[in-house]
Amino acid sequence: MRDAGQAHRSVSSEAPANSRSDTVAVWDFPLRVWHWALAASVLVACVTPNTYDRLHRTAGYAVIGLLAFRLIWGLIGSRHSLFARISLKLRAAPQYILGMLRGETGRYLGLNPAGAAMLVVMLALLIVSTVSGVMQVSVRFFGVGWIEQAHALSSNAIIALIAVHVLGTLWMSLLQRENLARAMLTGRKRVPGVLRAAPSAARPIMAERRKPAAEPAVEEEHISVVPDLPPLRANPQIAAAAKPPGPARMPRSLSVHDKRLGVGR
C-alpha cells in the first residue's frame, strides 16, 4: 500500500488544491471581517438614499468607522494588510493590468498590483463620499452645491468601481483557477506552484518513478512574492540573459499577527 506522500503525489495532478494542506493562511480574521462588513455597509448605503435616510446615515457612519479601522490595520496588521507594500505594487499596476487583459499575469498571495490600485482608489472615494455626506447633513454646509455634487459623484464612482472589482475578481479567478471570493471568506489561498493540471499532463505513477527528471505533472506557474514586481511571461532566453535583482527587503519585521498566521515559519 502506498504511503501518504505517494498518494499525495499521485493525486496532485487530478484534484484541485483545495485541502488545507495545499493552502496557506493569507488574510487574517480582522481583515476578512472588515472586507465583508464594508461591502455590506456600502451596499446598504447605495440602496437607501432619499428613501431611508436614517438607515443611509447609519450605514455611512459604519463606513467611516471601518475606514478608520483599515487605516490603523494597514500599519499594525499582518503581512498582506500593510500599506508599506502598496507603493511598489502601484508602480507595477499599469504593466500588470495590460498583462491581465492578455491573460498573462504573475500570481501574488496577497493583493496583486491591480488589487492594490483598486484598494487605494476605493478608500479615497469612500473618504470623499463619507466626509461630504457628513458635511451635507450638517447645519453649516446643508444645501451647499459643491458638497452635494462631490457626494453624488463619489458615490456613483464607488458603484462603478464595485462592478469593476467584482468583474476583476471573477476574471482573475478564471485565469488562476482559484476562487478568490472564497479565499476572502476562509483566509487561505493555495500554496504557490500547486495548480490543477491539464488532462494531457497526467502521468502514470510508475512512469514518474522511472523518470524522476521528466516534466512535472503540475503545470508551471509564475509566482511573485510581494514586494517583487510581477513576473509577466517573457522569453526564457531574455529572462536568463537579464537576471532580475533579488527581492526587496521586508519593510519591517514580522508582527504578532503574522506569527499567528504562521508566516515565516
PDB file of all heavy atoms in Angstrom, residues 164-183:
ATOM      1  N   VAL A 164     -16.433  46.973 -11.300  1.00  0.00           N
ATOM      2  CA  VAL A 164     -15.119  46.613 -11.840  1.00  0.00           C
ATOM      3  C   VAL A 164     -14.426  45.609 -10.924  1.00  0.00           C
ATOM      4  O   VAL A 164     -13.792  44.652 -11.392  1.00  0.00           O
ATOM      5  CB  VAL A 164     -14.258  47.881 -12.019  1.00  0.00           C
ATOM      6  CG1 VAL A 164     -12.836  47.507 -12.435  1.00  0.00           C
ATOM      7  CG2 VAL A 164     -14.884  48.797 -13.056  1.00  0.00           C
ATOM      8  N   HIS A 165     -14.564  45.805  -9.620  1.00  0.00           N
ATOM      9  CA  HIS A 165     -13.937  44.900  -8.650  1.00  0.00           C
ATOM     10  C   HIS A 165     -14.507  43.487  -8.767  1.00  0.00           C
ATOM     11  O   HIS A 165     -13.756  42.499  -8.771  1.00  0.00           O
ATOM     12  CB  HIS A 165     -14.167  45.439  -7.247  1.00  0.00           C
ATOM     13  CG  HIS A 165     -13.696  44.527  -6.160  1.00  0.00           C
ATOM     14  ND1 HIS A 165     -12.394  44.090  -6.051  1.00  0.00           N
ATOM     15  CD2 HIS A 165     -14.367  43.943  -5.126  1.00  0.00           C
ATOM     16  CE1 HIS A 165     -12.272  43.284  -5.008  1.00  0.00           C
ATOM     17  NE2 HIS A 165     -13.451  43.173  -4.437  1.00  0.00           N
ATOM     18  N   VAL A 166     -15.814  43.372  -8.887  1.00  0.00           N
ATOM     19  CA  VAL A 166     -16.442  42.055  -8.998  1.00  0.00           C
ATOM     20  C   VAL A 166     -16.010  41.372 -10.291  1.00  0.00           C
ATOM     21  O   VAL A 166     -15.638  40.181 -10.304  1.00  0.00           O
ATOM     22  CB  VAL A 166     -17.973  42.192  -8.930  1.00  0.00           C
ATOM     23  CG1 VAL A 166     -18.648  40.860  -9.232  1.00  0.00           C
ATOM     24  CG2 VAL A 166     -18.399  42.687  -7.547  1.00  0.00           C
ATOM     25  N   LEU A 167     -16.036  42.112 -11.406  1.00  0.00           N
ATOM     26  CA  LEU A 167     -15.636  41.528 -12.684  1.00  0.00           C
ATOM     27  C   LEU A 167     -14.157  41.142 -12.673  1.00  0.00           C
ATOM     28  O   LEU A 167     -13.774  40.083 -13.190  1.00  0.00           O
ATOM     29  CB  LEU A 167     -15.913  42.518 -13.822  1.00  0.00           C
ATOM     30  CG  LEU A 167     -17.383  42.803 -14.115  1.00  0.00           C
ATOM     31  CD1 LEU A 167     -17.514  43.868 -15.198  1.00  0.00           C
ATOM     32  CD2 LEU A 167     -18.124  41.537 -14.523  1.00  0.00           C
ATOM     33  N   GLY A 168     -13.325  41.994 -12.075  1.00  0.00           N
ATOM     34  CA  GLY A 168     -11.907  41.677 -11.994  1.00  0.00           C
ATOM     35  C   GLY A 168     -11.638  40.447 -11.147  1.00  0.00           C
ATOM     36  O   GLY A 168     -10.768  39.632 -11.476  1.00  0.00           O
ATOM     37  N   THR A 169     -12.382  40.303 -10.052  1.00  0.00           N
ATOM     38  CA  THR A 169     -12.222  39.128  -9.199  1.00  0.00           C
ATOM     39  C   THR A 169     -12.608  37.859  -9.949  1.00  0.00           C
ATOM     40  O   THR A 169     -11.914  36.832  -9.870  1.00  0.00           O
ATOM     41  CB  THR A 169     -13.070  39.275  -7.932  1.00  0.00           C
ATOM     42  OG1 THR A 169     -12.662  40.447  -7.214  1.00  0.00           O
ATOM     43  CG2 THR A 169     -12.917  38.056  -7.030  1.00  0.00           C
ATOM     44  N   LEU A 170     -13.706  37.927 -10.693  1.00  0.00           N
ATOM     45  CA  LEU A 170     -14.123  36.757 -11.481  1.00  0.00           C
ATOM     46  C   LEU A 170     -13.101  36.431 -12.560  1.00  0.00           C
ATOM     47  O   LEU A 170     -12.775  35.251 -12.792  1.00  0.00           O
ATOM     48  CB  LEU A 170     -15.496  37.026 -12.111  1.00  0.00           C
ATOM     49  CG  LEU A 170     -16.671  37.156 -11.151  1.00  0.00           C
ATOM     50  CD1 LEU A 170     -17.940  37.534 -11.909  1.00  0.00           C
ATOM     51  CD2 LEU A 170     -16.890  35.867 -10.367  1.00  0.00           C
ATOM     52  N   TRP A 171     -12.578  37.464 -13.214  1.00  0.00           N
ATOM     53  CA  TRP A 171     -11.608  37.246 -14.279  1.00  0.00           C
ATOM     54  C   TRP A 171     -10.321  36.613 -13.746  1.00  0.00           C
ATOM     55  O   TRP A 171      -9.789  35.659 -14.318  1.00  0.00           O
ATOM     56  CB  TRP A 171     -11.313  38.568 -14.963  1.00  0.00           C
ATOM     57  CG  TRP A 171     -10.286  38.525 -16.057  1.00  0.00           C
ATOM     58  CD1 TRP A 171      -9.108  39.200 -16.115  1.00  0.00           C
ATOM     59  CD2 TRP A 171     -10.356  37.772 -17.276  1.00  0.00           C
ATOM     60  NE1 TRP A 171      -8.420  38.920 -17.266  1.00  0.00           N
ATOM     61  CE2 TRP A 171      -9.164  38.048 -18.017  1.00  0.00           C
ATOM     62  CE3 TRP A 171     -11.288  36.895 -17.828  1.00  0.00           C
ATOM     63  CZ2 TRP A 171      -8.909  37.461 -19.246  1.00  0.00           C
ATOM     64  CZ3 TRP A 171     -11.017  36.314 -19.062  1.00  0.00           C
ATOM     65  CH2 TRP A 171      -9.839  36.604 -19.752  1.00  0.00           C
ATOM     66  N   MET A 172      -9.815  37.132 -12.625  1.00  0.00           N
ATOM     67  CA  MET A 172      -8.603  36.575 -12.048  1.00  0.00           C
ATOM     68  C   MET A 172      -8.833  35.167 -11.501  1.00  0.00           C
ATOM     69  O   MET A 172      -7.945  34.319 -11.537  1.00  0.00           O
ATOM     70  CB  MET A 172      -8.085  37.489 -10.934  1.00  0.00           C
ATOM     71  CG  MET A 172      -7.539  38.813 -11.420  1.00  0.00           C
ATOM     72  SD  MET A 172      -6.206  38.624 -12.628  1.00  0.00           S
ATOM     73  CE  MET A 172      -4.970  37.780 -11.633  1.00  0.00           C
ATOM     74  N   SER A 173     -10.036  34.906 -11.003  1.00  0.00           N
ATOM     75  CA  SER A 173     -10.346  33.554 -10.531  1.00  0.00           C
ATOM     76  C   SER A 173     -10.283  32.558 -11.676  1.00  0.00           C
ATOM     77  O   SER A 173      -9.815  31.425 -11.517  1.00  0.00           O
ATOM     78  CB  SER A 173     -11.733  33.529  -9.880  1.00  0.00           C
ATOM     79  OG  SER A 173     -11.765  34.338  -8.724  1.00  0.00           O
ATOM     80  N   LEU A 174     -10.735  32.985 -12.856  1.00  0.00           N
ATOM     81  CA  LEU A 174     -10.668  32.112 -14.029  1.00  0.00           C
ATOM     82  C   LEU A 174      -9.230  31.946 -14.513  1.00  0.00           C
ATOM     83  O   LEU A 174      -8.809  30.828 -14.853  1.00  0.00           O
ATOM     84  CB  LEU A 174     -11.539  32.686 -15.153  1.00  0.00           C
ATOM     85  CG  LEU A 174     -13.055  32.645 -14.924  1.00  0.00           C
ATOM     86  CD1 LEU A 174     -13.779  33.359 -16.056  1.00  0.00           C
ATOM     87  CD2 LEU A 174     -13.556  31.207 -14.807  1.00  0.00           C
ATOM     88  N   LEU A 175      -8.480  33.029 -14.540  1.00  0.00           N
ATOM     89  CA  LEU A 175      -7.104  32.952 -15.032  1.00  0.00           C
ATOM     90  C   LEU A 175      -6.237  32.069 -14.141  1.00  0.00           C
ATOM     91  O   LEU A 175      -5.423  31.282 -14.639  1.00  0.00           O
ATOM     92  CB  LEU A 175      -6.493  34.358 -15.116  1.00  0.00           C
ATOM     93  CG  LEU A 175      -6.977  35.272 -16.239  1.00  0.00           C
ATOM     94  CD1 LEU A 175      -6.266  36.618 -16.159  1.00  0.00           C
ATOM     95  CD2 LEU A 175      -6.759  34.635 -17.601  1.00  0.00           C
ATOM     96  N   GLN A 176      -6.405  32.212 -12.831  1.00  0.00           N
ATOM     97  CA  GLN A 176      -5.542  31.500 -11.896  1.00  0.00           C
ATOM     98  C   GLN A 176      -6.184  30.243 -11.323  1.00  0.00           C
ATOM     99  O   GLN A 176      -5.593  29.582 -10.472  1.00  0.00           O
ATOM    100  CB  GLN A 176      -5.136  32.448 -10.762  1.00  0.00           C
ATOM    101  CG  GLN A 176      -4.346  33.634 -11.270  1.00  0.00           C
ATOM    102  CD  GLN A 176      -3.898  34.577 -10.179  1.00  0.00           C
ATOM    103  OE1 GLN A 176      -4.335  34.472  -9.032  1.00  0.00           O
ATOM    104  NE2 GLN A 176      -3.034  35.509 -10.520  1.00  0.00           N
ATOM    105  N   ARG A 177      -7.394  29.946 -11.780  1.00  0.00           N
ATOM    106  CA  ARG A 177      -8.093  28.733 -11.348  1.00  0.00           C
ATOM    107  C   ARG A 177      -8.149  28.641  -9.818  1.00  0.00           C
ATOM    108  O   ARG A 177      -7.800  27.617  -9.225  1.00  0.00           O
ATOM    109  CB  ARG A 177      -7.432  27.500 -11.957  1.00  0.00           C
ATOM    110  CG  ARG A 177      -7.733  27.328 -13.424  1.00  0.00           C
ATOM    111  CD  ARG A 177      -6.969  26.191 -14.026  1.00  0.00           C
ATOM    112  NE  ARG A 177      -5.581  26.569 -14.304  1.00  0.00           N
ATOM    113  CZ  ARG A 177      -4.680  25.743 -14.800  1.00  0.00           C
ATOM    114  NH1 ARG A 177      -5.002  24.496 -15.049  1.00  0.00           N
ATOM    115  NH2 ARG A 177      -3.453  26.156 -15.027  1.00  0.00           N
ATOM    116  N   GLU A 178      -8.596  29.721  -9.223  1.00  0.00           N
ATOM    117  CA  GLU A 178      -8.718  29.785  -7.766  1.00  0.00           C
ATOM    118  C   GLU A 178      -9.886  30.688  -7.409  1.00  0.00           C
ATOM    119  O   GLU A 178     -10.033  31.777  -7.974  1.00  0.00           O
ATOM    120  CB  GLU A 178      -7.437  30.319  -7.133  1.00  0.00           C
ATOM    121  CG  GLU A 178      -7.496  30.372  -5.618  1.00  0.00           C
ATOM    122  CD  GLU A 178      -6.161  30.747  -5.006  1.00  0.00           C
ATOM    123  OE1 GLU A 178      -5.326  31.337  -5.716  1.00  0.00           O
ATOM    124  OE2 GLU A 178      -5.944  30.436  -3.819  1.00  0.00           O
ATOM    125  N   ASN A 179     -10.728  30.241  -6.477  1.00  0.00           N
ATOM    126  CA  ASN A 179     -11.885  31.018  -6.051  1.00  0.00           C
ATOM    127  C   ASN A 179     -11.418  32.104  -5.081  1.00  0.00           C
ATOM    128  O   ASN A 179     -11.242  31.857  -3.887  1.00  0.00           O
ATOM    129  CB  ASN A 179     -12.915  30.097  -5.391  1.00  0.00           C
ATOM    130  CG  ASN A 179     -14.238  30.796  -5.167  1.00  0.00           C
ATOM    131  OD1 ASN A 179     -14.305  32.010  -4.986  1.00  0.00           O
ATOM    132  ND2 ASN A 179     -15.322  30.028  -5.189  1.00  0.00           N
ATOM    133  N   LEU A 180     -11.229  33.325  -5.593  1.00  0.00           N
ATOM    134  CA  LEU A 180     -10.704  34.403  -4.764  1.00  0.00           C
ATOM    135  C   LEU A 180     -11.736  34.902  -3.753  1.00  0.00           C
ATOM    136  O   LEU A 180     -11.361  35.368  -2.673  1.00  0.00           O
ATOM    137  CB  LEU A 180     -10.236  35.556  -5.650  1.00  0.00           C
ATOM    138  CG  LEU A 180      -9.087  35.213  -6.604  1.00  0.00           C
ATOM    139  CD1 LEU A 180      -8.704  36.424  -7.435  1.00  0.00           C
ATOM    140  CD2 LEU A 180      -7.879  34.693  -5.835  1.00  0.00           C
ATOM    141  N   ALA A 181     -13.016  34.826  -4.096  1.00  0.00           N
ATOM    142  CA  ALA A 181     -14.047  35.220  -3.127  1.00  0.00           C
ATOM    143  C   ALA A 181     -14.059  34.267  -1.939  1.00  0.00           C
ATOM    144  O   ALA A 181     -14.179  34.694  -0.787  1.00  0.00           O
ATOM    145  CB  ALA A 181     -15.423  35.256  -3.812  1.00  0.00           C
ATOM    146  N   ARG A 182     -13.913  32.979  -2.196  1.00  0.00           N
ATOM    147  CA  ARG A 182     -13.848  32.017  -1.103  1.00  0.00           C
ATOM    148  C   ARG A 182     -12.591  32.222  -0.275  1.00  0.00           C
ATOM    149  O   ARG A 182     -12.593  32.030   0.951  1.00  0.00           O
ATOM    150  CB  ARG A 182     -13.893  30.598  -1.654  1.00  0.00           C
ATOM    151  CG  ARG A 182     -13.910  29.512  -0.575  1.00  0.00           C
ATOM    152  CD  ARG A 182     -14.029  28.146  -1.180  1.00  0.00           C
ATOM    153  NE  ARG A 182     -12.898  27.828  -2.032  1.00  0.00           N
ATOM    154  CZ  ARG A 182     -12.808  26.722  -2.767  1.00  0.00           C
ATOM    155  NH1 ARG A 182     -13.794  25.850  -2.771  1.00  0.00           N
ATOM    156  NH2 ARG A 182     -11.753  26.509  -3.538  1.00  0.00           N
ATOM    157  N   ALA A 183     -11.494  32.631  -0.917  1.00  0.00           N
ATOM    158  CA  ALA A 183     -10.261  32.892  -0.180  1.00  0.00           C
ATOM    159  C   ALA A 183     -10.448  34.031   0.813  1.00  0.00           C
ATOM    160  O   ALA A 183      -9.873  34.007   1.907  1.00  0.00           O
ATOM    161  CB  ALA A 183      -9.134  33.222  -1.156  1.00  0.00           C
TER     162      ALA A 183
END
